[in-house]
Amino acid sequence: MTRVPIRYGARPCSLVVCRGCCCGDARKNPGTDHAGQLARLREAAAASGGRLAVRTSDCLGPCAQANIVVVQPSTEGRRRGGRAAWVAFTLDEDALDDILAWTAAGGPGIAPVPATLALQMIDPPKN
């Protein structure tokens, strides 16, 4: 696993977890522990030593593909050409495992996307 040093003013790899009208809604996806997933992501961020940040957002747009998680590159990842990756259908622990493994390895621009996660990538909505 590649460790990315955090320099002064550097931004870590970040996860933006949609929690709008459909994502995180037990009525839409009743078999998913939405609160448990968010807690798991936040625990991973707390244990990362500043290499991962997690925040929530209101509706990000692609409601038919809930739950959406946007993986944003760190400062170093962006410098190396990484761009935000939109991951759809993050409804199970396997998806979270892949997201957390990718971010632990450095995320966009630093580490390759896990093959199974690549299948869940979508284009961001056009506003």
Side-chain angles (χ1 to χ4, degrees):
M1 166 177 13
T2 303
R3 299 256 181 213
V4 179
I6 301 297
R7 292 189 278 278
Y8 175 77
R11 189 177 106 184
C13 188
S14 302
L15 302 178
V16 180
V17 181
C18 184
R19 284 297 179 256
C21 63
C22 295
C23 293
D25 187 337
R27 292 171 301 188
K28 181 166 183 157
N29 294 296
T32 301
D33 180 4
H34 302 283
Q37 285 188 336
L38 185 56
R40 181 176 173 206
L41 295 174
R42 287 184 169 152
E43 287 168 9
S48 74
R51 292 183 310 276
L52 178 64
V54 174
R55 65 185 175 94
T56 59
S57 176
D58 285 336
C59 187
L60 291 172
C63 298
Q65 296 161 316
N67 288 344
I68 302 293
V69 174
V70 180
V71 183
Q72 297 178 320
S74 64
T75 300
E76 181 63 18
R78 187 162 296 277
R79 187 185 69 73
R80 294 183 188 189
R83 297 293 174 255
W86 287 60
V87 185
F89 307 111
T90 59
L91 297 169
D92 60 33
E93 295 303 308
D94 291 339
L96 293 187
D97 290 345
D98 288 343
I99 289 169
L100 291 173
W102 187 30
T103 59
I110 295 175
V113 179
T116 54
L117 197 60
L119 297 172
Q120 294 174 247
M121 300 264 181
I122 61 170
D123 292 328
K126 303 213 185 320
N127 292 346

